[in-house]
PDB file of all heavy atoms in Angstrom:
ATOM      1  N   GLY A 471      56.154  20.698  51.773  1.00 98.00           N
ATOM      2  CA  GLY A 471      56.975  19.560  52.134  1.00 98.00           C
ATOM      3  C   GLY A 471      56.499  18.912  53.417  1.00 98.00           C
ATOM      4  O   GLY A 471      55.419  19.238  53.932  1.00 98.00           O
ATOM      5  N   ALA A 472      57.339  17.994  53.903  1.00 98.00           N
ATOM      6  CA  ALA A 472      56.981  17.210  55.097  1.00 98.00           C
ATOM      7  C   ALA A 472      58.068  17.354  56.155  1.00 98.00           C
ATOM      8  O   ALA A 472      59.219  17.670  55.845  1.00 98.00           O
ATOM      9  CB  ALA A 472      56.822  15.737  54.714  1.00 98.00           C
ATOM     10  N   GLN A 473      57.679  17.103  57.386  1.00 98.00           N
ATOM     11  CA  GLN A 473      58.629  17.082  58.510  1.00 98.00           C
ATOM     12  C   GLN A 473      58.279  15.894  59.391  1.00 98.00           C
ATOM     13  O   GLN A 473      57.183  15.834  59.945  1.00 98.00           O
ATOM     14  CB  GLN A 473      58.492  18.353  59.346  1.00 98.00           C
ATOM     15  CG  GLN A 473      58.935  19.609  58.654  1.00 98.00           C
ATOM     16  CD  GLN A 473      60.242  20.148  59.206  1.00 98.00           C
ATOM     17  OE1 GLN A 473      60.507  20.058  60.393  1.00 98.00           O
ATOM     18  NE2 GLN A 473      61.056  20.692  58.347  1.00 98.00           N
ATOM     19  N   GLY A 474      59.222  14.941  59.495  1.00 98.00           N
ATOM     20  CA  GLY A 474      59.076  13.855  60.450  1.00 98.00           C
ATOM     21  C   GLY A 474      58.127  12.750  60.022  1.00 98.00           C
ATOM     22  O   GLY A 474      57.419  12.849  59.006  1.00 98.00           O
ATOM     23  N   THR A 475      58.167  11.654  60.803  1.00 98.00           N
ATOM     24  CA  THR A 475      57.293  10.493  60.555  1.00 98.00           C
ATOM     25  C   THR A 475      56.752   9.952  61.896  1.00 98.00           C
ATOM     26  O   THR A 475      56.607   8.754  62.077  1.00 98.00           O
ATOM     27  CB  THR A 475      58.047   9.361  59.821  1.00 98.00           C
ATOM     28  OG1 THR A 475      59.263   9.096  60.529  1.00 98.00           O
ATOM     29  CG2 THR A 475      58.351   9.691  58.387  1.00 98.00           C
ATOM     30  N   GLU A 476      56.494  10.864  62.830  1.00 98.00           N
ATOM     31  CA  GLU A 476      55.997  10.432  64.142  1.00 98.00           C
ATOM     32  C   GLU A 476      54.578   9.863  64.022  1.00 98.00           C
ATOM     33  O   GLU A 476      53.801  10.303  63.174  1.00 98.00           O
ATOM     34  CB  GLU A 476      55.965  11.614  65.133  1.00 98.00           C
ATOM     35  CG  GLU A 476      57.332  12.095  65.582  1.00 98.00           C
ATOM     36  CD  GLU A 476      58.019  12.994  64.552  1.00 98.00           C
ATOM     37  OE1 GLU A 476      57.353  13.412  63.581  1.00 98.00           O
ATOM     38  OE2 GLU A 476      59.226  13.263  64.707  1.00 98.00           O
ATOM     39  N   THR A 477      54.271   8.915  64.888  1.00 98.00           N
ATOM     40  CA  THR A 477      52.893   8.429  64.979  1.00 98.00           C
ATOM     41  C   THR A 477      52.017   9.537  65.558  1.00 98.00           C
ATOM     42  O   THR A 477      52.529  10.517  66.126  1.00 98.00           O
ATOM     43  CB  THR A 477      52.807   7.219  65.932  1.00 98.00           C
ATOM     44  OG1 THR A 477      53.236   7.651  67.238  1.00 98.00           O
ATOM     45  CG2 THR A 477      53.664   6.057  65.450  1.00 98.00           C
ATOM     46  N   VAL A 478      50.712   9.351  65.482  1.00 98.00           N
ATOM     47  CA  VAL A 478      49.788  10.333  66.059  1.00 98.00           C
ATOM     48  C   VAL A 478      50.064  10.494  67.550  1.00 98.00           C
ATOM     49  O   VAL A 478      50.106  11.603  68.085  1.00 98.00           O
ATOM     50  CB  VAL A 478      48.322   9.908  65.824  1.00 98.00           C
ATOM     51  CG1 VAL A 478      47.365  10.811  66.587  1.00 98.00           C
ATOM     52  CG2 VAL A 478      47.996   9.910  64.328  1.00 98.00           C
ATOM     53  N   ALA A 481      52.987  12.732  67.960  1.00 98.00           N
ATOM     54  CA  ALA A 481      53.022  13.863  67.019  1.00 98.00           C
ATOM     55  C   ALA A 481      53.681  15.086  67.646  1.00 98.00           C
ATOM     56  O   ALA A 481      53.480  15.382  68.825  1.00 98.00           O
ATOM     57  CB  ALA A 481      51.606  14.198  66.580  1.00 98.00           C
ATOM     58  N   ASP A 482      54.466  15.769  66.820  1.00 98.00           N
ATOM     59  CA  ASP A 482      55.194  16.962  67.252  1.00 98.00           C
ATOM     60  C   ASP A 482      54.451  18.181  66.686  1.00 98.00           C
ATOM     61  O   ASP A 482      54.389  18.379  65.473  1.00 98.00           O
ATOM     62  CB  ASP A 482      56.625  16.855  66.684  1.00 98.00           C
ATOM     63  CG  ASP A 482      57.473  18.065  66.999  1.00 98.00           C
ATOM     64  OD1 ASP A 482      56.937  19.187  67.014  1.00 98.00           O
ATOM     65  OD2 ASP A 482      58.696  17.870  67.209  1.00 98.00           O
ATOM     66  N   GLU A 483      53.898  18.999  67.588  1.00 98.00           N
ATOM     67  CA  GLU A 483      53.048  20.116  67.132  1.00 98.00           C
ATOM     68  C   GLU A 483      53.806  21.099  66.263  1.00 98.00           C
ATOM     69  O   GLU A 483      53.243  21.678  65.336  1.00 98.00           O
ATOM     70  CB  GLU A 483      52.459  20.862  68.342  1.00 98.00           C
ATOM     71  CG  GLU A 483      51.252  20.185  68.921  1.00 98.00           C
ATOM     72  CD  GLU A 483      50.478  21.091  69.870  1.00 98.00           C
ATOM     73  OE1 GLU A 483      50.592  22.329  69.774  1.00 98.00           O
ATOM     74  OE2 GLU A 483      49.760  20.542  70.731  1.00 98.00           O
ATOM     75  N   LYS A 485      56.177  20.481  64.155  1.00 98.00           N
ATOM     76  CA  LYS A 485      56.270  19.937  62.791  1.00 98.00           C
ATOM     77  C   LYS A 485      54.921  20.031  62.084  1.00 98.00           C
ATOM     78  O   LYS A 485      54.851  20.357  60.904  1.00 98.00           O
ATOM     79  CB  LYS A 485      56.772  18.483  62.824  1.00 98.00           C
ATOM     80  CG  LYS A 485      58.230  18.378  63.249  1.00 98.00           C
ATOM     81  CD  LYS A 485      58.691  16.932  63.280  1.00 98.00           C
ATOM     82  CE  LYS A 485      60.146  16.849  63.736  1.00 98.00           C
ATOM     83  NZ  LYS A 485      60.561  15.454  63.973  1.00 98.00           N
ATOM     84  N   TRP A 486      53.835  19.744  62.804  1.00 98.00           N
ATOM     85  CA  TRP A 486      52.494  19.887  62.212  1.00 98.00           C
ATOM     86  C   TRP A 486      52.290  21.331  61.753  1.00 98.00           C
ATOM     87  O   TRP A 486      51.814  21.577  60.662  1.00 98.00           O
ATOM     88  CB  TRP A 486      51.408  19.526  63.237  1.00 98.00           C
ATOM     89  CG  TRP A 486      51.024  18.070  63.226  1.00 98.00           C
ATOM     90  CD1 TRP A 486      51.832  17.020  63.531  1.00 98.00           C
ATOM     91  CD2 TRP A 486      49.747  17.517  62.884  1.00 98.00           C
ATOM     92  NE1 TRP A 486      51.139  15.842  63.407  1.00 98.00           N
ATOM     93  CE2 TRP A 486      49.851  16.111  63.018  1.00 98.00           C
ATOM     94  CE3 TRP A 486      48.531  18.061  62.501  1.00 98.00           C
ATOM     95  CZ2 TRP A 486      48.785  15.252  62.769  1.00 98.00           C
ATOM     96  CZ3 TRP A 486      47.455  17.203  62.257  1.00 98.00           C
ATOM     97  CH2 TRP A 486      47.585  15.820  62.384  1.00 98.00           C
ATOM     98  N   ARG A 487      52.660  22.276  62.621  1.00 98.00           N
ATOM     99  CA  ARG A 487      52.465  23.698  62.278  1.00 98.00           C
ATOM    100  C   ARG A 487      53.251  24.048  61.021  1.00 98.00           C
ATOM    101  O   ARG A 487      52.755  24.728  60.131  1.00 98.00           O
ATOM    102  CB  ARG A 487      52.927  24.586  63.439  1.00 98.00           C
ATOM    103  CG  ARG A 487      51.777  25.187  64.167  1.00 98.00           C
ATOM    104  CD  ARG A 487      52.190  26.072  65.325  1.00 98.00           C
ATOM    105  NE  ARG A 487      51.415  25.655  66.477  1.00 98.00           N
ATOM    106  CZ  ARG A 487      51.876  25.003  67.523  1.00 98.00           C
ATOM    107  NH1 ARG A 487      53.154  24.725  67.641  1.00 98.00           N
ATOM    108  NH2 ARG A 487      51.070  24.647  68.493  1.00 98.00           N
ATOM    109  N   TRP A 488      54.494  23.570  60.951  1.00 98.00           N
ATOM    110  CA  TRP A 488      55.340  23.843  59.769  1.00 98.00           C
ATOM    111  C   TRP A 488      54.645  23.324  58.513  1.00 98.00           C
ATOM    112  O   TRP A 488      54.575  24.008  57.496  1.00 98.00           O
ATOM    113  CB  TRP A 488      56.707  23.159  59.953  1.00 98.00           C
ATOM    114  CG  TRP A 488      57.719  23.463  58.886  1.00 98.00           C
ATOM    115  CD1 TRP A 488      58.689  24.431  58.933  1.00 98.00           C
ATOM    116  CD2 TRP A 488      57.878  22.798  57.612  1.00 98.00           C
ATOM    117  NE1 TRP A 488      59.431  24.406  57.762  1.00 98.00           N
ATOM    118  CE2 TRP A 488      58.949  23.423  56.940  1.00 98.00           C
ATOM    119  CE3 TRP A 488      57.215  21.752  56.972  1.00 98.00           C
ATOM    120  CZ2 TRP A 488      59.388  23.027  55.668  1.00 98.00           C
ATOM    121  CZ3 TRP A 488      57.630  21.361  55.703  1.00 98.00           C
ATOM    122  CH2 TRP A 488      58.711  21.994  55.060  1.00 98.00           C
ATOM    123  N   MET A 489      54.113  22.097  58.601  1.00 98.00           N
ATOM    124  CA  MET A 489      53.487  21.486  57.413  1.00 98.00           C
ATOM    125  C   MET A 489      52.203  22.201  57.028  1.00 98.00           C
ATOM    126  O   MET A 489      51.928  22.396  55.845  1.00 98.00           O
ATOM    127  CB  MET A 489      53.244  19.986  57.662  1.00 98.00           C
ATOM    128  CG  MET A 489      54.552  19.203  57.702  1.00 98.00           C
ATOM    129  SD  MET A 489      54.326  17.429  57.818  1.00 98.00           S
ATOM    130  CE  MET A 489      54.302  17.176  59.583  1.00 98.00           C
ATOM    131  N   TRP A 490      51.422  22.594  58.030  1.00 98.00           N
ATOM    132  CA  TRP A 490      50.173  23.305  57.725  1.00 98.00           C
ATOM    133  C   TRP A 490      50.465  24.697  57.205  1.00 98.00           C
ATOM    134  O   TRP A 490      49.816  25.171  56.273  1.00 98.00           O
ATOM    135  CB  TRP A 490      49.257  23.343  58.962  1.00 98.00           C
ATOM    136  CG  TRP A 490      48.475  22.069  59.043  1.00 98.00           C
ATOM    137  CD1 TRP A 490      48.969  20.835  59.325  1.00 98.00           C
ATOM    138  CD2 TRP A 490      47.091  21.890  58.748  1.00 98.00           C
ATOM    139  NE1 TRP A 490      47.973  19.894  59.244  1.00 98.00           N
ATOM    140  CE2 TRP A 490      46.803  20.511  58.892  1.00 98.00           C
ATOM    141  CE3 TRP A 490      46.058  22.758  58.392  1.00 98.00           C
ATOM    142  CZ2 TRP A 490      45.527  19.992  58.681  1.00 98.00           C
ATOM    143  CZ3 TRP A 490      44.787  22.232  58.190  1.00 98.00           C
ATOM    144  CH2 TRP A 490      44.536  20.863  58.328  1.00 98.00           C
ATOM    145  N   GLU A 491      51.437  25.385  57.783  1.00 98.00           N
ATOM    146  CA  GLU A 491      51.783  26.737  57.324  1.00 98.00           C
ATOM    147  C   GLU A 491      52.285  26.701  55.881  1.00 98.00           C
ATOM    148  O   GLU A 491      51.884  27.524  55.068  1.00 98.00           O
ATOM    149  CB  GLU A 491      52.866  27.357  58.229  1.00 98.00           C
ATOM    150  CG  GLU A 491      52.317  28.026  59.459  1.00 98.00           C
ATOM    151  CD  GLU A 491      51.536  29.311  59.152  1.00 98.00           C
ATOM    152  OE1 GLU A 491      51.732  29.902  58.085  1.00 98.00           O
ATOM    153  OE2 GLU A 491      50.712  29.696  59.996  1.00 98.00           O
ATOM    154  N   SER A 492      53.184  25.761  55.577  1.00 98.00           N
ATOM    155  CA  SER A 492      53.791  25.808  54.244  1.00 98.00           C
ATOM    156  C   SER A 492      52.874  25.225  53.167  1.00 98.00           C
ATOM    157  O   SER A 492      52.725  25.800  52.092  1.00 98.00           O
ATOM    158  CB  SER A 492      55.169  25.130  54.234  1.00 98.00           C
ATOM    159  OG  SER A 492      55.089  23.841  54.765  1.00 98.00           O
ATOM    160  N   ASN A 493      52.209  24.100  53.466  1.00 98.00           N
ATOM    161  CA  ASN A 493      51.398  23.456  52.422  1.00 98.00           C
ATOM    162  C   ASN A 493      49.991  24.051  52.305  1.00 98.00           C
ATOM    163  O   ASN A 493      49.482  24.205  51.197  1.00 98.00           O
ATOM    164  CB  ASN A 493      51.256  21.950  52.705  1.00 98.00           C
ATOM    165  CG  ASN A 493      52.574  21.196  52.617  1.00 98.00           C
ATOM    166  OD1 ASN A 493      53.082  20.962  51.534  1.00 98.00           O
ATOM    167  ND2 ASN A 493      53.148  20.822  53.759  1.00 98.00           N
ATOM    168  N   VAL A 494      49.371  24.343  53.436  1.00 99.00           N
ATOM    169  CA  VAL A 494      47.948  24.724  53.407  1.00 99.00           C
ATOM    170  C   VAL A 494      47.790  26.243  53.393  1.00 99.00           C
ATOM    171  O   VAL A 494      47.298  26.825  52.427  1.00 99.00           O
ATOM    172  CB  VAL A 494      47.177  24.134  54.619  1.00 99.00           C
ATOM    173  CG1 VAL A 494      45.681  24.355  54.442  1.00 99.00           C
ATOM    174  CG2 VAL A 494      47.486  22.660  54.803  1.00 99.00           C
ATOM    175  N   ALA A 523      49.547  11.638  49.330  1.00 98.00           N
ATOM    176  CA  ALA A 523      49.261  11.845  50.763  1.00 98.00           C
ATOM    177  C   ALA A 523      48.017  12.702  50.966  1.00 98.00           C
ATOM    178  O   ALA A 523      47.494  12.788  52.076  1.00 98.00           O
ATOM    179  CB  ALA A 523      50.458  12.493  51.456  1.00 98.00           C
ATOM    180  N   THR A 527      45.958   7.863  53.641  1.00 98.00           N
ATOM    181  CA  THR A 527      46.764   8.087  54.849  1.00 98.00           C
ATOM    182  C   THR A 527      47.794   6.966  54.948  1.00 98.00           C
ATOM    183  O   THR A 527      47.659   5.928  54.295  1.00 98.00           O
ATOM    184  CB  THR A 527      45.886   8.053  56.117  1.00 98.00           C
ATOM    185  OG1 THR A 527      45.268   6.765  56.209  1.00 98.00           O
ATOM    186  CG2 THR A 527      44.828   9.140  56.090  1.00 98.00           C
ATOM    187  N   TYR A 528      48.842   7.187  55.709  1.00 97.00           N
ATOM    188  CA  TYR A 528      49.791   6.106  55.978  1.00 97.00           C
ATOM    189  C   TYR A 528      50.398   6.270  57.362  1.00 97.00           C
ATOM    190  O   TYR A 528      50.461   7.390  57.896  1.00 97.00           O
ATOM    191  CB  TYR A 528      50.865   5.993  54.882  1.00 97.00           C
ATOM    192  CG  TYR A 528      51.699   7.229  54.635  1.00 97.00           C
ATOM    193  CD1 TYR A 528      52.868   7.490  55.357  1.00 97.00           C
ATOM    194  CD2 TYR A 528      51.332   8.137  53.652  1.00 97.00           C
ATOM    195  CE1 TYR A 528      53.636   8.611  55.113  1.00 97.00           C
ATOM    196  CE2 TYR A 528      52.099   9.266  53.397  1.00 97.00           C
ATOM    197  CZ  TYR A 528      53.246   9.501  54.124  1.00 97.00           C
ATOM    198  OH  TYR A 528      54.006  10.621  53.885  1.00 97.00           O
ATOM    199  N   ASP A 529      50.822   5.165  57.937  1.00 97.00           N
ATOM    200  CA  ASP A 529      51.351   5.179  59.311  1.00 97.00           C
ATOM    201  C   ASP A 529      52.546   6.128  59.398  1.00 97.00           C
ATOM    202  O   ASP A 529      53.462   6.068  58.562  1.00 97.00           O
ATOM    203  CB  ASP A 529      51.805   3.772  59.731  1.00 97.00           C
ATOM    204  CG  ASP A 529      50.668   2.754  59.666  1.00 97.00           C
ATOM    205  OD1 ASP A 529      49.515   3.162  59.401  1.00 97.00           O
ATOM    206  OD2 ASP A 529      50.945   1.551  59.849  1.00 97.00           O
ATOM    207  N   GLY A 530      52.550   6.959  60.397  1.00 98.00           N
ATOM    208  CA  GLY A 530      53.664   7.890  60.599  1.00 98.00           C
ATOM    209  C   GLY A 530      53.550   9.130  59.714  1.00 98.00           C
ATOM    210  O   GLY A 530      54.422   9.997  59.758  1.00 98.00           O
ATOM    211  N   GLY A 531      52.479   9.223  58.950  1.00 98.00           N
ATOM    212  CA  GLY A 531      52.384  10.350  58.015  1.00 98.00           C
ATOM    213  C   GLY A 531      51.291  11.337  58.349  1.00 98.00           C
ATOM    214  O   GLY A 531      50.965  12.209  57.538  1.00 98.00           O
ATOM    215  N   SER A 532      50.726  11.259  59.563  1.00 98.00           N
ATOM    216  CA  SER A 532      49.479  12.007  59.827  1.00 98.00           C
ATOM    217  C   SER A 532      49.599  13.512  59.606  1.00 98.00           C
ATOM    218  O   SER A 532      48.686  14.120  59.036  1.00 98.00           O
ATOM    219  CB  SER A 532      48.990  11.733  61.256  1.00 98.00           C
ATOM    220  OG  SER A 532      49.955  12.162  62.201  1.00 98.00           O
ATOM    221  N   GLY A 533      50.695  14.116  60.052  1.00 98.00           N
ATOM    222  CA  GLY A 533      50.826  15.572  59.894  1.00 98.00           C
ATOM    223  C   GLY A 533      50.854  15.965  58.422  1.00 98.00           C
ATOM    224  O   GLY A 533      50.191  16.919  57.999  1.00 98.00           O
ATOM    225  N   TYR A 534      51.596  15.189  57.630  1.00 98.00           N
ATOM    226  CA  TYR A 534      51.718  15.490  56.199  1.00 98.00           C
ATOM    227  C   TYR A 534      50.439  15.134  55.447  1.00 98.00           C
ATOM    228  O   TYR A 534      49.952  15.916  54.628  1.00 98.00           O
ATOM    229  CB  TYR A 534      52.921  14.733  55.629  1.00 98.00           C
ATOM    230  CG  TYR A 534      53.221  15.050  54.174  1.00 98.00           C
ATOM    231  CD1 TYR A 534      53.478  16.364  53.764  1.00 98.00           C
ATOM    232  CD2 TYR A 534      53.264  14.044  53.211  1.00 98.00           C
ATOM    233  CE1 TYR A 534      53.755  16.655  52.427  1.00 98.00           C
ATOM    234  CE2 TYR A 534      53.545  14.326  51.885  1.00 98.00           C
ATOM    235  CZ  TYR A 534      53.792  15.634  51.492  1.00 98.00           C
ATOM    236  OH  TYR A 534      54.064  15.920  50.166  1.00 98.00           O
ATOM    237  N   THR A 535      49.867  13.950  55.737  1.00 98.00           N
ATOM    238  CA  THR A 535      48.647  13.562  55.014  1.00 98.00           C
ATOM    239  C   THR A 535      47.502  14.516  55.371  1.00 98.00           C
ATOM    240  O   THR A 535      46.708  14.891  54.500  1.00 98.00           O
ATOM    241  CB  THR A 535      48.233  12.099  55.298  1.00 98.00           C
ATOM    242  OG1 THR A 535      48.062  11.908  56.703  1.00 98.00           O
ATOM    243  CG2 THR A 535      49.246  11.104  54.771  1.00 98.00           C
ATOM    244  N   ALA A 536      47.448  14.931  56.637  1.00 98.00           N
ATOM    245  CA  ALA A 536      46.396  15.879  57.036  1.00 98.00           C
ATOM    246  C   ALA A 536      46.565  17.196  56.279  1.00 98.00           C
ATOM    247  O   ALA A 536      45.598  17.777  55.766  1.00 98.00           O
ATOM    248  CB  ALA A 536      46.446  16.109  58.540  1.00 98.00           C
ATOM    249  N   ALA A 537      47.793  17.672  56.202  1.00 98.00           N
ATOM    250  CA  ALA A 537      48.044  18.943  55.503  1.00 98.00           C
ATOM    251  C   ALA A 537      47.739  18.813  54.015  1.00 98.00           C
ATOM    252  O   ALA A 537      47.127  19.696  53.412  1.00 98.00           O
ATOM    253  CB  ALA A 537      49.491  19.379  55.720  1.00 98.00           C
ATOM    254  N   LYS A 538      48.165  17.706  53.406  1.00 98.00           N
ATOM    255  CA  LYS A 538      47.932  17.553  51.961  1.00 98.00           C
ATOM    256  C   LYS A 538      46.450  17.320  51.659  1.00 98.00           C
ATOM    257  O   LYS A 538      45.960  17.767  50.622  1.00 98.00           O
ATOM    258  CB  LYS A 538      48.818  16.431  51.389  1.00 98.00           C
ATOM    259  CG  LYS A 538      50.286  16.843  51.244  1.00 98.00           C
ATOM    260  CD  LYS A 538      50.434  18.052  50.313  1.00 98.00           C
ATOM    261  CE  LYS A 538      51.855  18.310  49.861  1.00 98.00           C
ATOM    262  NZ  LYS A 538      51.989  19.585  49.105  1.00 98.00           N
ATOM    263  N   HIS A 539      45.725  16.627  52.561  1.00 98.00           N
ATOM    264  CA  HIS A 539      44.273  16.520  52.380  1.00 98.00           C
ATOM    265  C   HIS A 539      43.651  17.925  52.408  1.00 98.00           C
ATOM    266  O   HIS A 539      42.777  18.244  51.597  1.00 98.00           O
ATOM    267  CB  HIS A 539      43.639  15.663  53.484  1.00 98.00           C
ATOM    268  CG  HIS A 539      43.620  14.185  53.200  1.00 98.00           C
ATOM    269  ND1 HIS A 539      44.750  13.393  53.215  1.00 98.00           N
ATOM    270  CD2 HIS A 539      42.599  13.349  52.881  1.00 98.00           C
ATOM    271  CE1 HIS A 539      44.430  12.141  52.924  1.00 98.00           C
ATOM    272  NE2 HIS A 539      43.130  12.085  52.711  1.00 98.00           N
ATOM    273  N   ALA A 540      44.110  18.745  53.361  1.00 99.00           N
ATOM    274  CA  ALA A 540      43.535  20.096  53.486  1.00 99.00           C
ATOM    275  C   ALA A 540      43.882  20.946  52.261  1.00 99.00           C
ATOM    276  O   ALA A 540      43.040  21.689  51.751  1.00 99.00           O
ATOM    277  CB  ALA A 540      44.063  20.760  54.763  1.00 99.00           C
ATOM    278  N   GLU A 541      45.108  20.823  51.788  1.00 99.00           N
ATOM    279  CA  GLU A 541      45.505  21.595  50.595  1.00 99.00           C
ATOM    280  C   GLU A 541      44.655  21.163  49.393  1.00 99.00           C
ATOM    281  O   GLU A 541      44.198  21.999  48.608  1.00 99.00           O
ATOM    282  CB  GLU A 541      47.002  21.372  50.321  1.00 99.00           C
ATOM    283  CG  GLU A 541      47.532  22.255  49.208  1.00 99.00           C
ATOM    284  CD  GLU A 541      49.000  21.953  48.875  1.00 99.00           C
ATOM    285  OE1 GLU A 541      49.476  20.834  49.159  1.00 99.00           O
ATOM    286  OE2 GLU A 541      49.653  22.839  48.298  1.00 99.00           O
ATOM    287  N   ARG A 575      62.441  16.267  55.109  1.00 98.00           N
ATOM    288  CA  ARG A 575      61.576  15.531  56.043  1.00 98.00           C
ATOM    289  C   ARG A 575      62.375  14.977  57.216  1.00 98.00           C
ATOM    290  O   ARG A 575      61.912  14.967  58.348  1.00 98.00           O
ATOM    291  CB  ARG A 575      60.889  14.378  55.296  1.00 98.00           C
ATOM    292  CG  ARG A 575      59.992  13.561  56.188  1.00 98.00           C
ATOM    293  CD  ARG A 575      59.105  12.603  55.432  1.00 98.00           C
ATOM    294  NE  ARG A 575      57.806  12.589  56.051  1.00 98.00           N
ATOM    295  CZ  ARG A 575      56.715  12.037  55.549  1.00 98.00           C
ATOM    296  NH1 ARG A 575      56.748  11.451  54.394  1.00 98.00           N
ATOM    297  NH2 ARG A 575      55.582  12.071  56.195  1.00 98.00           N
TER     298      ARG A 575
END
Side-chain angles (χ1 to χ4, degrees):
Q473 292 252 324
T475 51
E476 289 79 11
T477 61
V478 172
D482 177 324
E483 279 195 23
K485 291 180 181 171
W486 270 64
R487 253 180 230 108
W488 186 95
M489 290 186 270
W490 276 69
E491 275 291 339
S492 53
N493 294 286
V494 189
T527 61
Y528 58 88
D529 301 354
S532 61
Y534 185 58
T535 57
K538 285 300 194 187
H539 273 71
E541 187 184 23
R575 179 169 220 169

